[in-house]
Structure formats: C-alpha cells, structure tokens
Amino acid sequence: MLYRKLSALPLMPMTPNIPETTKKRVVIIGAGFGGLKIARDLADSEDFQIVLIDKNNYHQFQPLFYQVATAGLEPSAISFPLRLAFHHYKDVHVRITEVTELRTDSQEIITQLGAIRYDYLILAIGADTNFFGQKNIQEKALPMKSVGEALGLRNRLLENFENALVSDSDDVRQGLMTVVVVGGGPTGVEVSGTLAEMKRHVLPKDYPELDFDLMKVYIVESGGELLGPMSKNAQIKSKEYLEQLGVNVYLNTRVTDFDGKYAYLNNGEKIRTNNLVWAAGIKANFIEGLNPEILARGGRIKVNRYNQIEGYQNIFAIGDVAFMTEDAYPNGHPQVAQPAIQQGKLLSKNLPRLLRGNPLEEFTYKDLGSMATVGRNLAVVDLPFWRFQGFFAWLTWMFVHLMSIVGVKNRLLIFINWLWNYVTYDQSLRLIIKQKSPKVDD
C-alpha cells in the first residue's frame, strides 16, 4: 500500500550533477564513432571539461549489427561501456539521458535530467531509419539501426521458425520462414547473404522437420545495382555472390507496402512473407532549438569546413548529421564511420585553436575505401589504390572490422566467434531473449 502511495507522488526534478570548473565545457551529444573519438581525444585536455551525453551507456559498432541480428555475435561483443572508456579521466562526465531541446541564447541544453550549460556544443547525434513516409512499413517492418533493433530482429526470426515448426499450413510456414530485405547497400547485402548461408548450413540442423525449400531470401533495391557507391566490379560481384548463395535479387524495384503477410512491389508482384527487413535509407536526427533553415537534404545540418553549424560560432555537427560540401563531395560526405571519425579528430585539434584565437584548419575528407562481405569467403573491397573481391577481400574485411572494434576483450570475443563459426558452420548463439519487466501494482 505504501508503494502505491509513493509511486503516485510527482517525481522530483533531477539534476545532471556536473561539477563547475574554470575550464571551458564541451558538451558532446552522441557517443557514436565521431562523438566517442572527440571525447577520447580531448579527455586529458587542460583546457576543457568534457560532458558526453547518450541515451545508451555504451558505444555500439554499427557495421556488425547484422551479425547480432543473424545470431553470429552477442550484443555485448559489439558494444563498449562508455564509463569504462573514461575510467582514468577526472574531467570527463558521462550522462545517460535524452536531449529534448537546445537553448542557444542561454547556451544550454535541456535533457530529461535537467539543463546543462555549455561553452562549446558538438552534435554527433547520427541518423535513424528513413521509411519515406510509408506508415504500414514503419509499423510492421524490422529496422536495424541499433543493437536493440538487431536483437529484436534476431528474436523475431527465431520465434518465427519455432512457430513454423508447429504450423500445419505450408502457406503460413512459408510466410514465417521467408525474409525480404529492402535496400541494396552494405547492410542489406550482408544480411541477405548471411541469411542465405544460415538456410544452407545452420537452420536445417536446428529444425530438421522443416522443409527449407519453403524459405526464400529476397533483396530488393530501387536502383539499378547493389552497393551503389562502390565500383562496378564490386556491384557485379556482390550480385553474383548473392545469386550463388540462392538469394533472389530484385533491382530497379521498390517495396510499396507491407501488411505483415505480403510485401507489395511496384511491378505488381507480391511476396508472401512475415519478415520485412528495412535497410533502405536513413535520415539525420534533429534536436529542437536550431534554426530549421540550416537543414539540407535528408535532414542533415549545414556546416562549414570547420564543422561549425551555419549561424553559430560555438555549435558544431559531425558525422552522419553534418552536411559539409567539398569540391569532391558536392552532395556531402558519405554517411559512414570514416567521415565522423576524421571530423572528430580534426575538431579535437581545432577547439584549442578556437579557444586561443588561432586560425582553424579546414576539413578535407580522405576516402580510405569501402567494403562489404557477402558470405563465407566472399567479400568486395574498394581501396583507393586497389579493388579486389573474393577470399582475400573477405580476410581484409574481417581484419579491418576487428581492428576497428573498441576494446581488446571485444576483439578477442569476436575473433573466437568468427573462428568457431568458420570451423563448425555454427554460430551457436541462437537464443531468444525477451525482456521481462517486474509487475507494478495499480
């Protein structure tokens, strides 16, 4: 009875509890690749106090979300606790909350914990799934822009196989087992290729009673090729590899609707599936309080070559959310990890220059290349000086991603998982993990 009375009382306002200091305060919103990079680079600065804000208490390695979704890795293997990254830095303060508003006149942000003052503000808030206004798809499709969503996809797929096992209808079983992946970028290619390999080598051992001829894997791309930004050879080879694995590749085709049982295509075809994985587009996140006139295509924020937001001297945007043009990139930089990391690195050098009134260095993006894995021993790699495909490309992809993971322990866990998977053809992580919340009395 006492619990019910207390729970009915209004919550007291919270406070961020950040100590005041004579140092200039740099508030970083977002702990993705760019936000984490600049926070680590400035962590031992004598000039700045760092406040890192994220809604999660961990950094997540987005390029491997698809391996969590397909039971190749556990979520903890691609996530790194933020507080662990800053154990030895007394002037770095991590706060787990969501930002609801910017107040540029008073130089503060409003969070669920309360107001936080800033001297310099860095928006590294990334991007979210873009459903292009298709309400049914937004409500029923499976996105994959966070560890939580990847885990949700894994749960859905595994639960569907359990349900298919006890169904007495081939139509129902086909719907439960078939997967349509929308989007022919690296994520779509990697998800569909992994699912096709699971169909061949893993799932029949788990579910010997099921007829896996009923399971189909589709990838649907609205453009004329897969991996659009990559080289022609990479586009051709990725399609060839997927078709070798048994994936049905649809190019110049759009999914126009999804009702939970059928995916409807613009060519009039419909595909029986309960599983639509949406990897078709992204849109930049936005926080209220900025001038809406600074928004560019895809909701990105216009910035100059120093990552300063147009109209603001002490507010910066980096990574996916920033729209910066160069002669080589008139439509902005690609929304991948490297621009965010490189911008974060340069901004950590420019902030002390700005503080002292020294000239700032302009940002120039250095394209280190792009790559995608399609399946076992199959990948495509485009480097500035060399383009190659196949087994060596697959090894290169694994090495680059392994070295990019934050934390030695995580690298070791991933390497062991990959080695075990390669030897046994078995991820052995096919667990359905459901959240259970404690019951609260009315």
Side-chain angles (χ1 to χ4, degrees), residues 329-442:
Y329 299 94
N331 297 315
H333 299 118
Q335 290 171 286
V336 294
Q338 272 304 312
I341 294 170
Q342 293 178 31
Q343 288 173 357
K345 182 179 180 179
L346 180 61
L347 187 52
S348 69
K349 297 176 181 178
N350 272 336
L351 281 178
R353 294 174 182 145
L354 183 63
L355 181 64
R356 292 171 174 80
N358 296 330
L360 304 183
E361 180 183 342
E362 285 192 345
F363 178 78
T364 300
Y365 176 50
K366 183 179 181 181
D367 186 2
L368 301 181
S370 53
M371 57 187 69
T373 181
V374 184
R376 182 187 180 94
N377 301 336
L378 303 173
V380 292
V381 173
D382 286 353
L383 300 179
F385 52 87
W386 188 22
R387 295 169 178 174
F388 53 102
Q389 305 86 35
F391 176 70
F392 185 63
W394 181 69
L395 292 178
T396 302
W397 180 94
M398 287 199 299
F399 176 78
V400 168
H401 283 74
L402 195 63
M403 291 301 100
S404 300
I405 288 286
V406 179
V408 175
K409 178 184 176 183
N410 284 9
R411 291 175 192 163
L412 182 60
L413 287 173
I414 290 172
F415 177 75
I416 291 171
N417 267 291
W418 283 351
L419 182 63
W420 181 262
N421 296 349
Y422 189 77
V423 172
T424 66
Y425 280 91
D426 191 352
Q427 292 100 325
S428 71
L429 297 174
R430 294 177 298 284
L431 310 176
I432 301 173
I433 301 175
K434 299 179 181 178
Q435 180 180 351
K436 181 175 176 59
S437 300
K439 183 179 179 181
V440 178
D441 293 334
D442 295 331

Side-chain angles (χ1 to χ4, degrees), residues 116-408:
I116 300 176
R117 178 192 59 78
Y118 65 84
D119 294 299
Y120 300 100
L121 177 63
I122 300 170
L123 304 185
I125 53 180
D128 205 350
T129 305
N130 190 351
F131 293 98
F132 305 104
Q134 299 179 95
K135 186 177 179 182
N136 283 346
I137 292 176
Q138 183 172 350
E139 292 177 349
K140 297 181 173 65
L142 299 162
M144 201 168 53
K145 288 297 293 180
S146 68
V147 168
E149 289 178 347
L151 189 58
L153 174 55
R154 182 177 89 178
N155 287 345
R156 165 72 76 83
L157 295 176
L158 295 176
E159 286 175 345
N160 281 356
F161 283 110
E162 297 295 336
N163 292 332
L165 195 63
V166 296
S167 174
D168 56 3
S169 165
D170 281 350
D171 179 69
V172 172
R173 280 196 292 268
Q174 183 173 18
L176 291 167
M177 296 167 68
T178 293
V179 182
V180 175
V181 180
V182 183
T187 298
V189 168
E190 289 163 353
V191 168
S192 54
T194 304
L195 288 171
E197 288 201 321
M198 290 179 69
K199 173 188 172 181
R200 284 187 176 188
H201 303 294
V202 178
L203 294 171
K205 292 186 290 186
D206 279 1
Y207 304 98
E209 300 100 319
L210 289 177
D211 177 10
F212 277 88
D213 287 339
L214 293 174
M215 180 181 177
K216 310 292 183 185
V217 179
Y218 298 84
I219 182 169
V220 182
E221 164 58 36
S222 61
E225 63 281 316
L226 301 175
L227 303 177
M230 295 188 70
S231 67
K232 193 67 177 178
N233 282 342
Q235 295 167 357
I236 293 171
K237 277 294 184 181
S238 61
K239 180 174 182 291
E240 179 183 311
Y241 290 153
L242 286 176
E243 289 174 341
Q244 287 175 5
L245 292 171
V247 177
N248 299 282
V249 180
Y250 283 41
L251 301 178
N252 298 305
T253 308
R254 290 184 298 105
V255 173
T256 58
D257 201 2
F258 177 58
D259 61 8
K261 292 186 177 180
Y262 288 94
Y264 297 88
L265 310 182
N266 65 336
N267 60 8
E269 185 178 347
K270 63 180 183 179
I271 300 173
R272 179 69 176 95
T273 181
N274 293 29
N275 311 293
L276 188 77
V277 180
W278 191 261
I282 60 174
K283 61 180 179 181
N285 291 315
F286 184 73
I287 299 175
E288 292 296 329
L290 290 174
N291 182 357
E293 294 180 2
I294 63 173
L295 296 184
R297 182 180 177 184
R300 300 170 81 176
I301 299 172
K302 297 177 185 177
V303 299
N304 62 18
R305 294 287 292 276
Y306 314 116
N307 285 100
Q308 290 170 311
I309 296 177
E310 284 189 7
Y312 304 92
Q313 291 295 311
N314 63 338
I315 307 180
F316 305 81
I318 63 174
D320 289 353
V321 73
F323 181 79
M324 179 193 296
T325 60
E326 300 181 42
D327 290 341
Y329 299 94
N331 297 315
H333 299 118
Q335 290 171 286
V336 294
Q338 272 304 312
I341 294 170
Q342 293 178 31
Q343 288 173 357
K345 182 179 180 179
L346 180 61
L347 187 52
S348 69
K349 297 176 181 178
N350 272 336
L351 281 178
R353 294 174 182 145
L354 183 63
L355 181 64
R356 292 171 174 80
N358 296 330
L360 304 183
E361 180 183 342
E362 285 192 345
F363 178 78
T364 300
Y365 176 50
K366 183 179 181 181
D367 186 2
L368 301 181
S370 53
M371 57 187 69
T373 181
V374 184
R376 182 187 180 94
N377 301 336
L378 303 173
V380 292
V381 173
D382 286 353
L383 300 179
F385 52 87
W386 188 22
R387 295 169 178 174
F388 53 102
Q389 305 86 35
F391 176 70
F392 185 63
W394 181 69
L395 292 178
T396 302
W397 180 94
M398 287 199 299
F399 176 78
V400 168
H401 283 74
L402 195 63
M403 291 301 100
S404 300
I405 288 286
V406 179
V408 175

